[in-house]
């Protein structure tokens, strides 16, 4: 990234030199133009053919030098551009990867076939699909509760979708900042705290909106509405924390964050959010003296 000021400085020098050379060239053309008239009060000195030839040779040599300098400046600029390009590509691709995800770079995306893309992604997707099976285990563990409090099941898709949306926003923001060089690995604690706080605030606002709507508009019982109100900020906080932590964790392990962050975040948020949902329901039902 230190090459950018050098390119800017080189371009400024190149443009200034080109402007000066163009001015000098136009001046030389004006001097040699047959339509140029010398003021009458000047003393006209005859020019010999040898002096005119020497002047033309000097102008030709100056133009050759100018062209050579322009070509050399252009070559240096192209060289600097090529040196910067690999660094930008490496920043986007997350410095390589292991486990079938390191070639998910921007430069070669259009050159790869859909079969190559699928083969690189199916391994990670199968792993996260297995982790999502934990949600079925959790639902099965609280089957007795769901049978007695069927209203709890109404909000399971809502909470899972909200956690995925919140985490998806966080992952996209963090990956974009990493690829642009706005944040580094050393900024991880600050970024994670900021995203977790943002998730908690957004979830609290949405919880205070959804809870009353569920109770007064949809007719959901007070205790279930309270569970939903309390679960939304918890789910948002978990999603914001995981969505900002996983990209940095992938960089540390040398895994492509663009390939792994989003599905990993979704899997972990679904499992942890669902578990928090039933744990909070157990405690809130106890406050309302409702059997869990």
């Amino acid at each position: 990234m230190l090459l950018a000021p050098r390119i800017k400085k080189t371009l400024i020098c190149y443009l200034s030199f080109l402007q000066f050379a163009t001015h000098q060239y136009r001046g030389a053309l004006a001097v040699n133009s047959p339509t140029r008239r010398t003021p009458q009060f000047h003393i006209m000195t005859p020019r010999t053919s040898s002096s005119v030839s020497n002047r033309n040779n000097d102008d030709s040599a100056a133009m050759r030098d100018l062209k050579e300098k322009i070509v050399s400046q252009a070559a240096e600029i192209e060289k600097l551009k090529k040196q910067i390009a690999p660094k930008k590509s490496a920043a986007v691709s997350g410095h390589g990867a292991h486990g079938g995800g390191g070639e998910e770079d921007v430069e070669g995306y259009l050159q790869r076939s859909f079969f190559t893309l699928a083969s690189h992604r199916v391994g990670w997707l199968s792993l996260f699909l297995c982790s999502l099976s934990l949600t079925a285990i959790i639902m099965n563990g609280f089957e007795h509760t769901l049978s007695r409090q069927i209203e709890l099941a109404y909000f399971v898709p809502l909470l899972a979708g909200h956690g995925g949306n919140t985490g998806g926003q966080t992952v996209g923001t963090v990956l974009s900042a990493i690829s642009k060089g706005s944040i580094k690995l050393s900024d991880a604690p600050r970024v994670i705290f900021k995203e977790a706080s943002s998730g908690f605030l957004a979830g609290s606002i949405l919880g205070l909106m959804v809870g009353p709507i569920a109770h007064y508009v949809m007719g959901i019982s007070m205790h279930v509405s309270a569970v939903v109100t309390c679960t939304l900020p918890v789910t948002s906080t978990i999603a914001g924390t995981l969505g900002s932590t996983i990209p940095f964790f992938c960089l540390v392990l040398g895994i492509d964050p663009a390939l792994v962050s989003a599905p990993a975040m979704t899997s972990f948020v679904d499992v942890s959010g669902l578990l928090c949902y039933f744990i909070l329901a157990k405690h809130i039902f106890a406050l309302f003296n409702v059997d869990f």
Side-chain angles (χ1 to χ4, degrees), residues 118 120-130 259 263:
H120 286 166
R121 297 173 180 176
V122 68
W124 291 108
L125 292 176
S126 61
L127 176 63
F128 297 132
L129 184 63
C130 293
L259 190 67

Side-chain angles (χ1 to χ4, degrees), residues 72-105:
S72 63
Q73 292 286 344
E76 184 176 356
I77 292 173
E78 292 297 328
K79 182 179 178 181
L80 293 175
K81 287 181 179 179
K82 291 180 180 179
Q83 291 177 357
I84 289 180
K87 293 188 176 182
K88 290 184 177 180
S89 176
V92 174
S93 62
H95 309 284
H98 302 285
E103 299 178 9
E104 195 78 355
D105 61 288

Side-chain angles (χ1 to χ4, degrees), residues 131-205:
S131 65
L132 284 174
S133 62
L134 293 175
T135 59
I137 297 175
I138 295 173
M139 295 287 289
N140 184 59
F142 291 95
E143 181 180 4
H144 178 70
T145 301
L146 291 174
S147 63
R148 299 181 62 180
Q149 301 291 336
I150 191 62
E151 290 179 338
L152 286 174
Y154 297 164
F155 297 96
V156 170
L158 182 144
L159 294 173
H162 171 70
N165 292 337
T166 304
Q169 287 182 332
T170 304
V171 168
T173 302
V174 174
L175 288 181
S176 177
I178 291 176
S179 65
K180 293 178 181 179
S182 302
I183 57 177
K184 304 182 293 295
L185 193 60
S186 58
D187 299 321
R190 180 181 176 186
V191 173
I192 294 171
F193 177 77
K194 179 185 294 187
E195 292 295 339
S197 302
S198 175
F200 176 77
L201 179 59
S204 299
I205 295 173

Side-chain angles (χ1 to χ4, degrees), residues 11-291:
L11 287 173
I12 293 174
C13 295
Y14 166 66
L15 293 175
S16 301
F17 178 76
L18 183 61
Q19 184 179 6
F20 171 76
T22 304
H23 177 73
Q24 292 294 106
Y25 178 65
R26 289 178 178 175
L29 290 178
V31 171
N32 294 328
S33 175
T35 59
R36 179 180 175 86
R37 295 183 178 180
T38 307
Q40 297 297 327
F41 53 85
H42 282 187
I43 300 176
M44 301 294 294
T45 57
R47 293 184 179 180
T48 62
S49 59
S50 60
S51 62
V52 173
S53 176
N54 291 335
R55 188 178 184 88
N56 291 335
N57 291 335
D58 293 340
D59 292 339
S60 299
M63 290 302 302
R64 285 195 299 270
D65 293 340
L66 175 61
K67 290 180 180 180
E68 291 176 359
K69 290 181 179 179
I70 292 174
V71 171
S72 63
Q73 292 286 344
E76 184 176 356
I77 292 173
E78 292 297 328
K79 182 179 178 181
L80 293 175
K81 287 181 179 179
K82 291 180 180 179
Q83 291 177 357
I84 289 180
K87 293 188 176 182
K88 290 184 177 180
S89 176
V92 174
S93 62
H95 309 284
H98 302 285
E103 299 178 9
E104 195 78 355
D105 61 288
V106 177
E107 298 294 333
Y109 175 79
L110 294 177
Q111 283 69 38
R112 294 198 303 276
S113 64
F114 69 92
F115 180 80
T116 304
L117 293 176
S119 62
H120 286 166
R121 297 173 180 176
V122 68
W124 291 108
L125 292 176
S126 61
L127 176 63
F128 297 132
L129 184 63
C130 293
S131 65
L132 284 174
S133 62
L134 293 175
T135 59
I137 297 175
I138 295 173
M139 295 287 289
N140 184 59
F142 291 95
E143 181 180 4
H144 178 70
T145 301
L146 291 174
S147 63
R148 299 181 62 180
Q149 301 291 336
I150 191 62
E151 290 179 338
L152 286 174
Y154 297 164
F155 297 96
V156 170
L158 182 144
L159 294 173
H162 171 70
N165 292 337
T166 304
Q169 287 182 332
T170 304
V171 168
T173 302
V174 174
L175 288 181
S176 177
I178 291 176
S179 65
K180 293 178 181 179
S182 302
I183 57 177
K184 304 182 293 295
L185 193 60
S186 58
D187 299 321
R190 180 181 176 186
V191 173
I192 294 171
F193 177 77
K194 179 185 294 187
E195 292 295 339
S197 302
S198 175
F200 176 77
L201 179 59
S204 299
I205 295 173
L206 293 175
L208 293 175
M209 293 171 57
V210 173
I213 292 175
H215 179 64
Y216 293 106
V217 178
M218 299 175 59
I220 303 299
S221 59
M222 179 65 74
H223 53 279
V224 173
S225 299
V227 173
V228 175
T229 301
C230 296
T231 305
L232 278 173
V234 174
T235 304
S236 298
T237 305
I238 294 174
T241 303
L242 291 177
S244 56
T245 302
I246 292 175
F248 291 109
F249 189 69
C250 291
L251 290 179
V252 172
L253 297 181
I255 302 174
D256 185 2
L259 190 67
V260 178
S261 298
M265 178 277 306
T266 303
S267 301
F268 296 147
V269 169
D270 286 348
V271 174
S272 58
L274 187 61
L275 188 60
C276 291
Y277 180 49
F278 287 111
I279 292 176
L280 287 173
K282 180 179 180 180
H283 290 84
I284 292 175
F285 281 15
L287 295 177
F288 283 88
N289 295 321
V290 177
D291 294 335

